[in-house]
Amino acid sequence: MTENAGVGHGGAPGSRGRTVIADVVVEKIAGMAARDVRGVYALGSGFARSMGSVRERMPGAGSGKSVTRGVSVEVGEKQAAIDLEIVVEYGVSITNVAGEVRENVISAVERMAGRDVVEVNIMVSDVKLPDEEDEGEERQRIR
């Protein structure tokens, strides 16, 4: 005699079916986690940020900054690989910031998306100097 004590048809309810997580979901999680690290000024290269600020001003283009700017991912059923392009603030230790970004992104993606993060590659594309004006501030003053 075989007993299926409370198992029902095919196992626990959580194991019936498949969950698919879109790449953009992981991109958003990684982007938010990277931005939370002290010393990260922005994500994306100067050109990408410029194009993003132009896109944000266009009617119907969505609200606010693009969370996925400077983030690209490859997501499989169990794993994810993440590439980030960041701008750091002048005076911070770039290696420390990169390490903290890596830890924060891995923790957030593994906790929220349930994917093992196999790598987080970080490219530091610029340093925000204290006397540099923000591209958005400069445009607003010109108006």
Side-chain angles (χ1 to χ4, degrees):
M1 178 177 200
T2 307
E3 286 189 39
N4 294 337
V7 174
H9 299 292
S15 66
R16 295 182 204 168
R18 192 170 144 221
T19 302
V20 178
I21 298 175
D23 289 3
V24 70
V25 173
V26 176
E27 286 174 350
K28 287 181 178 183
I29 293 168
M32 290 299 293
R35 281 180 174 78
D36 283 345
V37 174
R38 188 168 173 225
V40 173
Y41 176 74
L43 268 64
S45 66
F47 179 74
R49 291 192 323 270
S50 295
M51 293 309 296
S53 65
V54 168
R55 210 176 10 244
E56 288 166 10
R57 289 186 188 89
M58 296 175 70
S63 61
K65 288 195 242 180
S66 172
V67 177
T68 61
R69 187 178 312 136
V71 183
S72 64
V73 301
E74 290 181 34
V75 181
E77 285 187 32
K78 296 181 181 179
Q79 297 179 324
I82 301 164
D83 294 327
L84 298 169
E85 185 174 355
I86 67 172
V87 177
V88 297
E89 296 173 355
Y90 178 80
V92 300
S93 166
I94 293 172
T95 55
N96 287 350
V97 169
E100 289 179 37
V101 166
R102 196 170 278 113
E103 287 178 28
N104 213 32
V105 167
I106 289 170
S107 174
V109 170
E110 288 183 348
R111 180 176 48 83
M112 294 176 69
R115 299 298 186 263
D116 290 325
V117 178
V118 293
E119 65 182 7
V120 175
N121 300 308
I122 299 171
M123 208 275 261
V124 179
S125 62
D126 203 356
V127 173
K128 169 67 169 89
L129 301 175
D131 60 345
E132 284 181 332
E133 288 188 25
D134 202 12
E135 293 163 0
E137 292 173 11
E138 185 177 317
R139 283 194 182 100
Q140 286 181 348
R141 266 200 282 144
I142 292 173
R143 286 185 188 184

